[in-house]
Amino acid sequence: MPRSTASSKTPDATAAGAPADTRQRIITAAKEEFARYGIAGARVDRLAKQARTSKERVYAYFSSKEALYQHVAEQELTALVEATQLDTADLPGYAGILFDHFTAHPEHYRLITWGRLELPDSGPDAARPLQTTIARKIDQLRDAQRTGLLDPGWDPVDVLALINQIATTWAGQPEIAAAAAEYATNTSADARRAALVTAVERLFPRTS
């Protein structure tokens, strides 16, 4: 009788089968691992276990831990861009959308921030997708100034920087967010959102 091959199956084959499934499980586990521990603190053997595969299989798909992080970070940035489209006629609304995204996905903010801290010199190729997005938004703001939607006295770069900073106030300062949950007059997340939207509205009023 032919010998059964069941005992020779790899964890990948028994868990999901297709290589694409294994790769996606690795990416999903890596998002959680990097968001929680950063790049230096992340462990490939731990995320491999979470992905139900082997450390060797992880390196078969990604040449290094840093390469895996870059791939995951690019996916997260793409998701962020798609979820937070800039409407130059409603910059306060855009700030609210950013707030909503990072409130719903705090791990996205942490994952991106780890890269800023640990890979500041990762090179132009790694930064290009984000830089392309930033350049496009700056061009949108310049167009808004030309058509009278935005005060031309502002430098568009400053507009984008200020809005992003205000919108991520609570995501970037979890200790103050925790204090607000206890000491604020209104402790709801809606109150935090309303405050930052109002701040942006006073700087860059809606024109729609």
Side-chain angles (χ1 to χ4, degrees):
M1 293 178 62
R3 187 177 62 180
S4 171
T5 59
S7 61
S8 65
K9 286 184 179 180
T10 65
D12 298 335
T14 57
D21 294 331
T22 302
R23 188 173 187 274
Q24 185 55 51
R25 292 200 311 275
I26 291 170
I27 292 169
T28 299
K31 289 179 182 180
E32 181 178 340
E33 182 76 10
F34 287 128
R36 179 174 297 180
Y37 300 106
I39 304 167
R43 289 174 50 186
V44 174
D45 56 347
R46 185 165 52 208
L47 74 86
K49 182 178 180 180
Q50 179 68 21
R52 307 192 310 279
T53 188
S54 66
K55 184 175 180 179
E56 291 72 24
R57 180 62 63 186
V58 174
Y59 284 121
Y61 288 110
F62 301 96
S63 60
S64 67
K65 184 167 63 170
E66 290 73 20
L68 176 54
Y69 172 82
Q70 293 287 7
H71 179 84
V72 168
E74 186 170 334
Q75 280 197 342
E76 294 300 280
L77 288 169
T78 298
L80 174 62
V81 170
E82 291 176 352
T84 58
Q85 297 296 317
L86 176 64
D87 180 357
T88 55
D90 186 9
L91 296 178
Y94 171 66
I97 290 171
L98 283 173
F99 174 87
D100 292 340
H101 180 82
F102 287 122
T103 297
H105 305 285
E107 72 280 3
H108 289 198
Y109 186 86
R110 292 196 302 269
L111 189 146
I112 293 168
T113 300
W114 280 117
R116 290 171 177 162
L117 293 172
E118 298 190 57
L119 296 176
D121 301 317
S122 55
D125 289 341
R128 187 169 292 123
L130 180 56
Q131 291 300 321
T132 298
T133 297
I134 291 171
R136 183 170 64 250
K137 290 184 177 181
I138 290 171
D139 285 342
Q140 287 179 263
L141 292 168
R142 284 203 176 98
D143 287 341
Q145 289 177 321
R146 295 188 191 103
T147 59
L149 291 177
L150 179 64
D151 182 351
W154 289 94
D155 189 314
V157 175
D158 292 328
V159 174
L160 187 60
L162 286 168
I163 293 173
N164 285 350
Q165 190 63 40
I166 293 170
T168 58
T169 294
W170 305 108
Q173 300 184 84
E175 66 285 354
I176 298 183
E182 184 174 357
Y183 299 113
T185 303
N186 183 335
T187 60
S188 70
D190 288 344
R192 306 286 78 74
R193 187 188 195 278
L196 69 86
V197 169
T198 298
V200 175
E201 172 74 31
R202 291 181 180 179
L203 287 169
F204 313 111
R206 290 180 176 89
T207 55
S208 60

